[in-house]
Amino acid sequence: MRLNGLGVSPGIGIGRALVVTRGTKNLQFRVPEHRIDSEIARLDAARAQSREQLQHLKERIAAAAGAEHAYLFDAQLLMLDDPMLVDRAATIIRVERLNAESALRRALDEIASLFDQADDPYLRERKGDVADIIGRLCMNLRTNGDPVDLFRDIEGGPLVLVADELSPSLIAQLDWQRLAAFITDAGSWTYHTAILARSLHVPAVAGLRHASSVIRPGVLIAVDGSTGDVLVEPSGAVLEDLDARAKKRRAYERSLAEYGTLPSVTQDGIAIRVEANVELPEEAPRARERGAEGIGLYRSEFMLAGMTAAGLDEEAQYAVYRRLIDGMDGGRVTVRTFDVTESELGVVQSGGSNRAPLGLRGLRLSLSFEEVFQAQLRALLRAAMHGPLRIMFPFVTGVEELRLARKAVAHAVETLKERGISPPPVPVGIMIEVPSAALTIDLLADEADFFSIGTNDLIQYCLAVDRTDDRVSRMYEPLHPAILRVLRHVARGARRRSLPVSVCGEMAADPVLLPLLTGLGLREFSMTPASIPLAKHVVRGLRIAETVKLASRALKAATAAEVERTLADFLSPARTN
Ligand code: PEP
Ligand code: MG
């Protein structure tokens, strides 16, 4: 079987499927031989627990509504002993070495197809009862374990994580040495999990729609994160071919590495600052090795892996910020305060929802949870005593919010002073990722110390296209004329006030776009460390005098496709300009 989605992190990964759905509530994988008996014991324990619960439910319903209404539970109790269900699942565990949850689901599929074939509508309806009992068994199997132990019981060897959706915090806390690749039903290029995959060098494919329901746990899968191809149970010849391609890719990456150490200066002597986007503190030294002058974006919410910000106290955060500063060895570190939604912060208020990108999120959220915000600011200010650190606020929509945030910083400084700590002055900047901020860049420039353009969000809000929805991903056009205009506007606004402005969205990591972005007046870029060597190589071949002409031609184009053609002409070796 071959599936095709969006290649979101290049490279080839081969491993056995670990199917994870509903945010790890449902895990399906192969167990090692020596664990088969204990897996069957787990299943038996879940059966015993389910029997007890059903007995109890039956009594409750009989007492409340009369014995005749309790028959449903009699049927379910009988099903627990039906050889086609739990016993069949035990056989599947033994023969196919699947975990108990997978085996139960397989048994359910088999029974469901029998029911579907039945003519009797009464029988067809019983499918719901079987699903109900399977759901109960799975609920009782659930260990409530810490997701850090996600791989604990799984057969050794490389794994391909197959998920409906994957949160970056889940990925962040896994042992990714065991992850050959991951693939998801949802997502797109700027999906945070995809961004994390690129920084961890784990091949990934997103937007596969049904992969988590059609791929069976434990099967061998080969993932090509460049083409978006996912091959299920590939033949030996295909595997050999993939292996050869993987080797070639690694050799190409090695050949680029030397550019990372060279100065990032154009042919006509303009310095272009190249920094790294970092999601995990342990990446800092690697970013430096790849040639990053600093960290242009540390997404602090990645610290929240497995815990809430409220639980992540000042000390724990301080330790992480110190690690970043120490890891950069004098290079500037820009930390963005939490850009999360309410539930990710563990503080959902009534009416709040995890899926509300335009609700209480980013700086708005920090401003409404003073304690959490103050703890983060104090930790940042203390860390700033050990090296150059900048504080950046996400999702700012205008001057008022920036003023409130600055007040919060001043308050944190006062608190520290009361403790006898005197932090140095710390530059305070904002992400430009909401159109209202981009359009008021002149006003914001009076009150901010620096800007960083978050093209990922800026594009989605300018074009009204959900960046995580693969069904509209064709409309997510970084080269849309509106985006070019907005970028020029921000670059000009910042330059007029001599304020530093960088680009930290995924556009910065695309080497093909660098000529255009420099032509629009941008001089600082922050990207995933892996992209730095190639970016520096491209910069060293540019002449700003030429890229400015390219940008003015591109700004005359009426569509993204025309802009692309203008760019292609510029990049073609035969160009005459
Ligand atoms: C952006 O929006 O471009 C950005 C860098 O932030 P994030 O991807 O974390 O939203
Ligand atoms: Mg953003």
Side-chain angles (χ1 to χ4, degrees), residues 190 192 195 297 299 301 336 339 361 431 433 453-458 467 504-506:
T190 61
H192 271 179
I195 291 173
L297 170 65
R299 293 176 162 101
E301 61 272 17
R336 181 175 78 181
D339 184 10
R361 96 164 234 208
M431 297 278 297
E433 55 184 345
I453 308 177
T455 50
N456 305 341
D457 278 319
L458 191 57
R467 70 191 243 197
C504 65
E506 291 306 297

Side-chain angles (χ1 to χ4, degrees), residues 148-179:
V148 175
D149 291 341
L150 193 60
F151 297 158
R152 191 191 51 199
D153 299 330
I154 305 174
E155 188 184 30
L159 295 166
V160 171
L161 204 58
V162 182
D164 45 0
E165 269 190 66
L166 266 183
S167 72
S169 62
L170 174 70
I171 294 292
Q173 64 194 323
L174 294 178
D175 169 11
W176 53 86
Q177 304 297 345
R178 278 201 71 186
L179 265 194

